Amino acid sequence: MRYLPLAFDLKRRPCLIVGGGSIATRKARLLNKAEARLLVVAPEITDELRQLVLGSGGEYIVGRYHADLLKQADMVVAATNDASINATVSADAQALRLPVNVVDSPKHCTFTFPSIVERGPVSIGISSGGSAPVLTRMLRAQLETLLSPGLGLVAELAGRLRGKVKAALPEAQRKDFWHWVFNGPIVGQVERGDAANAEQTLLEELSRWEDRPAPSGEVYLIGGGPGDPDLLTFRALRLMQQADVVLYDRLVSTEVLELVRRDAERIYVGKKRQFHSVPQDDINQLLVDLAKEGKKVLRLKGGDPFIFGRGGEEIDRLAEAGVPFQVVPGITAAVGCSAYSGIPLTHRDHAQSVRFITGHLKEGDLVLPWRELVTPNQTIVFYMGLTGLPTIAQELIANGMDPETPAALVEKGTTREQRVVAGTIGTLPELAKTHNVEAPALTIIGGVVTLRDKLGWYK
């Protein structure tokens, strides 16, 4: 992120615009909405721009730019059709450490104008740092359709009553109160044009809020999928934004973790091969303890919580302790990684069944029903099988599997770092060494692997 999104308070502050045409006028409209005092210099100025300047209490100069004008400004916009003048304005402004924007020239900018979605005091800025303005406008259009036109009125109501709420409730209760306001009947009343009754409803609820019983805690057990944040469910995203604290493991991607509420406490409880930073029993008890403190606890797991994720053990402990919980399924690694690799697990010409197997070595041994696994027209997927891959290959071949059976390793599946190493069950252990395959990696064995060159779409 090269440009940090910030919100400037420009009310009555002088902003210099160099340029008087249509582009300068568009920038002036935005600055005028922010109640800035406009200063404009240009050989020619549009009528609309002139009116915007006068309405802001500013002034315009019909003439050429000179550096002395910067002494009057807190912010500068260069919007002429002369690249050399724009570059000069940028250099002069930066020499004085003034924030400067040069239209359509990101290299000369110290700030950029985002595409803005506005609902009263609520504003959302979407920026690409000047690299893809058409994309930001498209995203703005999508957000415009999602946000209620009455959202600004709700924000204004909250702003008017914020002081009363702060005086009436301790900090620990205020968050829950505002959460109720923005998710309850208040919004509907305001959007129906009944702001007076909405305010009365809010004040009545405020007067009795402290008498409410303390909110009970809850645990959200959520599958974060194999890595790509686009694979999360809507429900998962909603609960991730409500959590007070998140316990997450090593298989949760950075991109998925970024979608958790920013002020939530984060506790890493990940496990690496042959190393557990927090024992499972301690994780189970920590979920109970945090929930009994009245917190909304997010247990975020890679893949699906119930596919080799030990989620069943966690909810068993929660149920035993009487802690309420919700479970949100996630796309398990086998489904996500195979799809992103162009390997359909049950293509009818190659497999009529699929088996998910844990390849995790316990005390150096991997005890599995090997003969049952050597079945025609079946796909086998091994989770956590990278360390035990030589044993897996040896046992399958010893129990009758053809060494030429197609097999593949999918490393860091569904992420930008995804890599597929394909061969046969006989060659795969050596290929893993040659290509330095690292965990997390999934092993897929069966005829469906031969389809990846034809069907693979994620490169």
Side-chain angles (χ1 to χ4, degrees), residues 325-393:
F325 60 85
Q326 299 183 44
V327 179
V328 182
I331 291 180
T332 189
V335 174
C337 296
S338 62
Y340 276 53
S341 304
I343 303 175
L345 294 177
T346 59
H347 190 289
R348 64 184 299 173
D349 293 337
H350 296 270
Q352 281 71 54
S353 65
V354 59
R355 294 186 70 161
F356 297 165
I357 311 291
T358 176
H360 179 64
L361 293 170
K362 187 173 183 179
E363 298 178 357
D365 294 325
L366 187 58
V367 180
L368 293 171
W370 298 106
R371 193 166 295 280
E372 292 179 19
L373 300 182
V374 183
T375 302
N377 300 318
Q378 176 176 263
T379 302
I380 308 172
V381 181
F382 278 93
Y383 286 68
M384 300 169 286
L386 188 59
T387 299
L389 184 56
T391 301
I392 291 170

Side-chain angles (χ1 to χ4, degrees), residues 175-369:
K175 184 184 70 175
D176 287 332
F177 177 77
W178 285 120
H179 191 273
W180 172 82
V181 169
F182 297 132
N183 289 276
I186 300 294
V187 175
Q189 287 178 293
V190 170
E191 290 180 341
R192 290 192 298 271
D194 195 6
N197 281 332
E199 182 169 341
Q200 185 62 31
T201 301
L202 188 153
L203 291 173
E204 289 173 358
E205 192 66 28
L206 177 62
S207 68
R208 53 178 177 260
W209 192 264
E210 281 195 288
D211 297 329
R212 284 190 169 202
S216 61
E218 186 176 13
V219 174
Y220 311 138
L221 187 62
I222 292 178
D228 186 345
D230 284 345
L231 299 180
L232 288 168
T233 65
F234 289 136
R235 187 177 173 207
L237 282 169
R238 186 170 67 250
L239 294 178
M240 287 164 69
Q241 285 296 308
Q242 295 178 17
D244 300 306
V245 56
V246 53
L247 280 65
Y248 66 99
D249 62 39
R250 184 176 64 93
L251 297 179
V252 175
S253 70
T254 301
E255 293 80 7
V256 169
L257 193 61
E258 281 294 312
L259 298 175
V260 174
R261 203 180 85 198
R262 289 196 178 277
D263 60 342
E265 180 185 359
R266 299 184 181 192
I267 302 175
Y268 176 69
V269 293
K271 305 177 183 69
K272 293 184 179 180
R273 199 163 58 236
Q274 301 176 338
F275 175 76
H276 288 196
S277 62
V278 182
Q280 185 62 47
D281 288 344
D282 291 353
I283 295 173
N284 299 346
Q285 188 59 45
L286 185 57
L287 292 172
V288 171
D289 294 343
L290 290 169
K292 287 194 171 182
E293 292 174 9
K295 295 178 179 178
K296 296 180 177 67
V297 185
L298 169 63
R299 177 64 173 110
L300 186 59
K301 293 174 169 286
D304 179 89
F306 291 167
I307 304 294
F308 306 123
R310 306 189 74 172
E313 298 172 47
E314 292 171 353
I315 65 169
D316 187 36
R317 180 70 186 93
L318 293 170
E320 183 182 88
V323 172
F325 60 85
Q326 299 183 44
V327 179
V328 182
I331 291 180
T332 189
V335 174
C337 296
S338 62
Y340 276 53
S341 304
I343 303 175
L345 294 177
T346 59
H347 190 289
R348 64 184 299 173
D349 293 337
H350 296 270
Q352 281 71 54
S353 65
V354 59
R355 294 186 70 161
F356 297 165
I357 311 291
T358 176
H360 179 64
L361 293 170
K362 187 173 183 179
E363 298 178 357
D365 294 325
L366 187 58
V367 180
L368 293 171

Side-chain angles (χ1 to χ4, degrees), residues 148-164:
S148 165
L151 185 64
L153 296 174
V154 177
E156 289 173 359
L157 173 63
R160 289 198 303 273
L161 300 179
R162 184 180 178 189
K164 290 185 177 180

